[in-house]
Amino acid sequence: MPLDVVVLALIAGLFAVVSGMNDGGALLATGLKLPTVRPATGILTLVVLVAVIPLFTHQVALTFVTRLASFEDPGGRIAMAIAVVASLAVVMLLSMMGRPTSLTLAVVGGLTGAGLGWGLPVSPGSVALVLAFGVAAPIVGGLLGWAMIRVLVATAKASALRHWHWAGFLIQTLAYAANDGQKMLAVFMVALGFSGAPVEYTVLVAVLFGLGTMYGLPKAGRTLSREIIVSRPPHGVAAEVGAGAAVMACAAVGMPVSMTQAVAGGLIGAGVSHGGGRVRWYAATKIAAAWLMTLPASGLLGWCLALLVKGFASLEVS
């Protein structure tokens, strides 16, 4: 097996674990104050859907592989490896600085930068379209969260809130599996050279993702469900429904967006509906600032690393 295949496959496995740490915990965190979905049940549900949904639709994975830049071209594996390394480096650095951010946003930046640096065909129109959807998703999630909390307060009794929580969690999890959860599959697609969604690879991705989720749940829970707003159970349910609906709509047109961004937007929208004082604006601003830094930082790092590696490769050949 070629060395670049082995290296990228290992990076893909690590990327799936880190995605679980970063994304999986956030998916479960919004409902921790309402123990309808216990962590073990939630993680199992996540793992199953991340494995199954790509068997029916993997359009978002193809967007990562072919629409931002053509990673199926010669050198695509190396450029993909560079993009993933750049995105992981930026996300870990920001997390160490206390600024949790979107791994999906970092991947979009890393793929674009590494593609440009390696000389792959990059589509400015597709990149701009993905960014537009990325900006819209948390805004729409916030608006839907704002509307949903009003519906819950007006109509849902305490006993019915458990059913709403299950519905919201399933909507959110389905949306993640159909959307930015497929970034993990996209890396394996390039590493191992397949274009569909073979069940053995979707299961592998899901298991690695689940392991990362178990490790990352406590930290993600503190960040989203406690720092952004002074939350009560209905806020988490409203954020789940709002974020899930926004992200699922983006998945329908093959546009990758960040579930963690949409959840954050949903929480803020639900909090604002009861007065701006419920939102911890300092924490929300800190997270938004991290989002703004993520894409240009990962793009610049991916571009620099691609130029560096390509330069070394050309020296060795000469």
Side-chain angles (χ1 to χ4, degrees), residues 281-304:
W281 291 108
Y282 171 74
T285 302
K286 185 171 69 171
I287 291 173
W291 292 347
L292 291 175
M293 289 188 288
T294 297
L295 188 138
S298 58
L300 180 61
L301 182 57
W303 178 72
C304 291

Side-chain angles (χ1 to χ4, degrees), residues 61-74:
L62 293 176
T63 296
F64 280 115
V65 174
T66 62
R67 293 183 66 176
L68 297 175
S70 184
F71 288 93
E72 295 175 326
D73 286 1

Side-chain angles (χ1 to χ4, degrees), residues 45-71:
T45 305
L46 271 170
V47 168
V48 170
L49 291 178
V50 168
V52 171
I53 295 301
L55 302 177
F56 297 94
T57 175
H58 52 276
Q59 290 305 306
V60 172
L62 293 176
T63 296
F64 280 115
V65 174
T66 62
R67 293 183 66 176
L68 297 175
S70 184
F71 288 93

